[in-house]
Amino acid sequence: SRRCMVCVLYLSVHLIPVNPVREHGLNPKSRKRIMPDLLTEPPAIDPIYEAHVYCNIPSIAERSMEGHAPHYFKLVSVQVLIRHGDRYPLYAIPKTKRPDIDCMLVPSRKPSHPQLEAFIQHMSKGSAAQMDGSLSSLPRFPSHSLCEMGELTQTGVVQHLRNGQLLREIYINKHKLLPGDWTAKQLYLETTGKSRTLQSALALLYTFLPDFDWKKITMRHQWSTIFCSGSCDCPMRNHYLEEEQRRQYSLRVKNSDLEKIYVDMAKIVGIPTRQLRASNPIDSLLCYFCHNVSFPCTKTGCIGMEHFKVIKRHQLEDERERQEKKLYFLYALLATHPLLNQTVNRLQRIAEGKKEEVFVLYSAHDVTLSPVLSALGVTEARFPRFAARLVFELWQDGKRPKEHFIRILYNGADVTFQTSFCKDHYKSSSKPMCPLEKFVNFVKRDMFLIFNSTSYYDACRRRAL
């Protein structure tokens, strides 16, 4: 369908993060399976460094800012939006051997996690869970000796076991967000219909609530990658996405270095350049790169790091131009309103005293998280890495119980004051968070101002000013 083509076109370009921050990854020159930490950040944007960050290989314990608030504040709700963990490619480079990655879970193989074996055992007992629609037919953990296309890898499972463990230490052990006898009504779980998103959600959930009772688990199925549920009819959203894709295409055509690289790679594998480009080689090459496997060779030659670097550098340039042109921002506002509106409605109910759905987990894709970050105005954020997490915390002021505040965190970094609706608030407040009503007003009203509209329905049918 046309909509699916739009998703594929979009996915094929935006796979790489931008804007360096201190993170840990692989040694770019190492072809051995040795993965030292990068202790210092490179002085300029480096495509190889950015790829390491994107891979998100589990290394040292992560420091995070989740759960930080003045002592008299009470945490009353947490909503988490994740990208699935490391996966096998969605595309194959024609006439090359597929990367040899094992998707069996082997606790003795690195990267591993102390609870990986217990996770496997617990997943095998999951038939009592309520799974919406087609979710019940999906496997609860990866189990192929040669990964299938798009399948979650052991690295991907471990990434989310680590996410869940980190969130448990903060939200359960420290802040007692859920009692020991929590009920099904206190959780809200939703995933797209891909095995990698379901399995990522279950991995995070397992370390967040170890050995949870399967009878308390209801996993809802979301058919749309932008989680628009029953509000997906939005003609102008599709218009802005198509305009954004035209911008991407124009930038690519202008890049002579990129064209030379595609011509050279196409000769190596013995296919027309157009066919190679259509096979989206970067998706496959990222798998070789993240798993420290040599790039593919043929009798004619080998795809090498220089090919990889040129394609990635172009993607970083594309990401930078995307921020400047604003077409993607207009798309993002319309694409994410249904999800943000659902988030705000839930936060308002909890602020009014409801005790249901205090922990929410949406398991999604890069094409879900990226527009949410853009719509919120968090322009400095990297494109979502594997197992990225975006967290909305709701806090109650213990001195003024009717007052509620939110914090927004991306991969453990507090980005609350990077948002368009709260960027200046810290100048006039001593509290390290944003009043809930500022977020509510943004989602219910201010998101539509650029479209000269007062509602989502109207904005979906009217051009921006």
Side-chain angles (χ1 to χ4, degrees), residues 57-91:
I57 302 300
S59 53
I60 63 168
E62 189 177 356
R63 291 183 298 278
S64 76
M65 290 295 292
E66 279 108 342
H68 285 236
H71 66 89
Y72 55 89
F73 272 73
K74 182 186 178 187
L75 182 69
V76 289
S77 174
V78 171
Q79 302 197 44
V80 184
L81 173 61
I82 58 170
R83 184 191 177 193
H84 59 74
D86 177 79
R87 59 156 171 77
Y88 201 68
L90 299 171
Y91 307 86

Side-chain angles (χ1 to χ4, degrees), residues 13-58:
V13 176
H14 289 293
L15 282 164
I16 307 302
V18 295
N19 299 330
V21 295
R22 186 164 295 151
E23 299 208 31
H24 306 275
L26 319 179
N27 179 346
K29 294 180 182 173
S30 172
R31 305 303 290 165
K32 300 174 185 174
R33 295 181 179 274
I34 300 171
M35 301 180 180
D37 294 326
L38 296 173
L39 298 176
T40 56
E41 183 181 321
I45 288 178
D46 174 354
I48 299 301
Y49 176 81
E50 293 297 331
H52 290 315
V53 174
Y54 178 81
C55 297
N56 190 21
I57 302 300

Side-chain angles (χ1 to χ4, degrees), residues 302-431:
C302 293
I303 294 173
M305 193 61 82
E306 284 308 308
H307 298 106
F308 182 70
K309 279 161 75 171
V310 169
I311 298 174
K312 283 200 37 53
R313 186 172 288 112
H314 169 73
Q315 291 187 316
L316 296 169
E317 290 164 3
D318 178 79
E319 186 77 10
R320 201 176 305 133
E321 184 179 285
R322 190 184 83 172
Q323 298 286 6
E324 294 165 5
K325 298 288 184 183
K326 295 298 181 189
L327 289 165
Y328 184 77
F329 174 63
L330 296 172
Y331 159 75
L333 289 171
L334 296 176
T336 62
H337 178 262
L339 177 59
L340 291 174
N341 192 49
Q342 190 180 50
T343 300
V344 156
N345 289 342
R346 188 180 287 112
L347 293 175
Q348 284 182 300
R349 286 196 300 271
I350 291 167
E352 289 163 5
K354 299 279 196 311
K355 302 291 186 188
E356 296 179 2
E357 299 180 358
V358 295
F359 180 77
V360 175
L361 178 62
Y362 295 111
S363 189
H365 306 264
D366 53 1
V367 292
T368 321
L369 265 76
S370 184
V372 171
L373 291 164
S374 181
L376 294 174
V378 187
T379 55
E380 296 303 305
R382 268 189 169 92
F383 193 80
R385 68 190 189 188
F386 284 131
R389 66 182 189 274
L390 181 66
V391 178
F392 297 84
E393 297 176 346
L394 180 65
W395 296 83
Q396 182 181 36
D397 187 336
K399 296 177 179 176
R400 297 177 177 173
K402 289 189 176 178
E403 291 189 13
H404 288 78
F405 295 81
I406 64 161
R407 290 178 76 233
I408 300 174
L409 303 105
Y410 183 50
N411 296 332
D414 189 335
V415 296
T416 310
F417 296 127
Q418 292 180 34
T419 61
S420 58
F421 54 88
C422 222
K423 62 184 175 187
D424 295 323
H425 180 71
Y426 72 94
K427 295 174 185 174
S428 59
S429 172
S430 58
K431 297 179 178 116

